[in-house]
Amino acid sequence: MAGSAQHAQWSSRWAFIMAAVGSAVGLGNIWKFPYEAGEGGGGAFVILYLLFVLVIGVPCLVAELSLGRRGQKSPVMTMKSIAEEEGRSKLWGLLGWSGIIGAFIIISFYSLVGGWVLAYMVKAASGFAGLDAAASTETFLTFIADPVKPIIAHFCFMAITVGIVARGVQGGLEKAVTVLMPALFVILLLLVVYSGVTGEFTQALAFLFEPNFHALTGDKILNALGLSFFSLSLAMGSIMTYGSYLPKDVNIPKSAITIAAADSAVALMAGLAIFPIVFAYGLNPGGGGGLVFMTLPIAFGQMPLGIVVGTLFFALLAVAAITSSISLLEPGVSYIEERTGMDRKKVTAIIGLLAFLLGTLSSFGQPGNLLGDVHFFGGMSIMDVKDYLTNNIIMPVGAMFMMIFVGWFVSRKAMMDELAIEDRSFRIWYFLVRFICPVAIFAVFANIIYDTIIAPMMAG
Ligand code: PHE
């Protein structure tokens, strides 16, 4: 187990790939990607997102996995020990902290949405027959406005996560991911085919891929960047921790490309499953976080075998969410376990409970719920604030510093040893890490600062 004298390890490359894909593929792809693409205006957002995944996400994934494997510890101690080894300040350990804290904030609301998925799985089992767009919207809004039901579901989701993480790397994490990820892929494919045949497929395609770059404001660009990090599980310590369980002989760049490809494929498939239905039923593509819950049930209500397909879909979405949430809990657990030597089960339960409590606020902050009228910064709900803080600030800033660390503060030779790839590929990666990634991330922020502060000042 992690934290005992022998640091834990994945049992094979396949197990690692499945765990990392499991971490990456989750609510970010199936719940978040479609509605953010919808709010972002479609095509241009999607193209930009894919570009960010390729040019920033993949190099960052490679960097984070390498740091993890080199450090062989929890994110904080990994950052500290590599910094020390390279004769750099121990303050780099703060990057580990920002990951652990970010992951804790994310899991608090991630588990709530995971709970929604569990609740919908139960609803799907009794069928959505006869549900039209209005009724479907109403069902969802009534559910999230309920002060108790979503909390129970949120608790169940967190309990499952805690149960798996408590069992450790090979006994818990690995077993959960190796069968279920491939199953998710198959069912999603089925849904795409169904939507394609019965829904407005061409309109969906046009919406997702025809770029209208005017729709891209600075904030939308930051959303696309944040989503690419979120979706790949970057800069939250998750990937670093998973990297620390990685055997030496696994090729990191190859793995990173596989992970990113699977992750993007699932996001696009989710879009292709959801938008044909959105357009066929006249739903609003920019309708926000309820999109997947309001659209797909309509299709399940009408298709033959809808009860089976619907239940299966939400079951697998729950699994995808769980394989991500375990990776959100793991960094904090591995750190506390490493520092205190406390029993893994106890640590997991305590962190899980705290995250659960923080998550209840996100539920109470939903429209119509107990704190539904509480808003911050021009209309953000509690969940929006946590989401914005992690996706749009902690993740990109954390990733930027991580790239600066790897590109400028760790020796080139150390990274070459870790990656063991041919010279040309290494040079491309190193160039992206040193220059393109930090500058691009910085530019996205500078653009927003210009839009929101400097331009209005000059105009006024
Ligand atoms: N990548 C996960 C998803 O798309 C979420 C996640 C973010 C997991 C950060 C771990 C770390 O659902």
Side-chain angles (χ1 to χ4, degrees), residues 23-29 103 106 110 229-234 236 238 263 324-325 327-328 395:
S23 168
V25 170
L27 297 171
N29 310 59
I106 293 179
Y110 201 89
F229 288 123
F230 184 85
S231 186
L232 289 173
S233 306
L234 290 173
M236 291 289 100
S238 303
D263 189 58
S324 300
S325 68
S327 77
L328 284 162
M395 282 182 156

Side-chain angles (χ1 to χ4, degrees), residues 209-330:
F209 297 110
E210 255 174 34
N212 161 21
F213 285 100
H214 298 299
L216 278 184
T217 54
D219 218 29
K220 296 271 159 32
I221 299 178
L222 178 59
N223 279 352
L225 181 71
L227 183 63
S228 69
F229 288 123
F230 184 85
S231 186
L232 289 173
S233 306
L234 290 173
M236 291 289 100
S238 303
I239 290 294
M240 203 180 280
T241 311
Y242 277 18
S244 76
Y245 306 144
L246 196 55
K248 279 285 173 213
D249 58 351
V250 171
N251 179 312
I252 289 183
K254 250 201 223 149
S255 309
I257 290 171
T258 313
I259 296 163
D263 189 58
S264 303
V266 172
L268 291 178
M269 279 160 70
L272 289 176
I274 288 168
F275 285 109
I277 301 173
V278 169
F279 292 120
Y281 290 92
L283 289 155
N284 173 12
L291 199 61
V292 71
F293 299 99
M294 297 191 281
T295 51
L296 292 181
I298 304 174
F300 298 141
Q302 300 190 349
M303 65 172 73
L305 292 180
I307 294 195
V308 180
V309 180
T311 314
L312 215 56
F313 171 78
F314 282 112
L316 288 171
L317 182 53
V319 169
I322 288 166
T323 54
S324 300
S325 68
I326 55 182
S327 77
L328 284 162
L329 198 55
E330 183 67 25

Side-chain angles (χ1 to χ4, degrees), residues 11 45 54-55 113 123 143 190 200 207 217 237 247 308 319 329-330 337 413 418-419 428 439 447 449:
S11 62
F45 182 93
L54 191 69
V55 179
V113 180
K123 278 188 213 286
F143 173 66
L190 220 104
E200 295 286 338
F207 180 76
T217 54
V308 180
V319 169
L329 198 55
E330 183 67 25
E337 202 190 16
K413 180 167 177 316
E418 205 54 56
L419 294 185
I428 297 174
V439 171
N447 184 26
I449 293 171

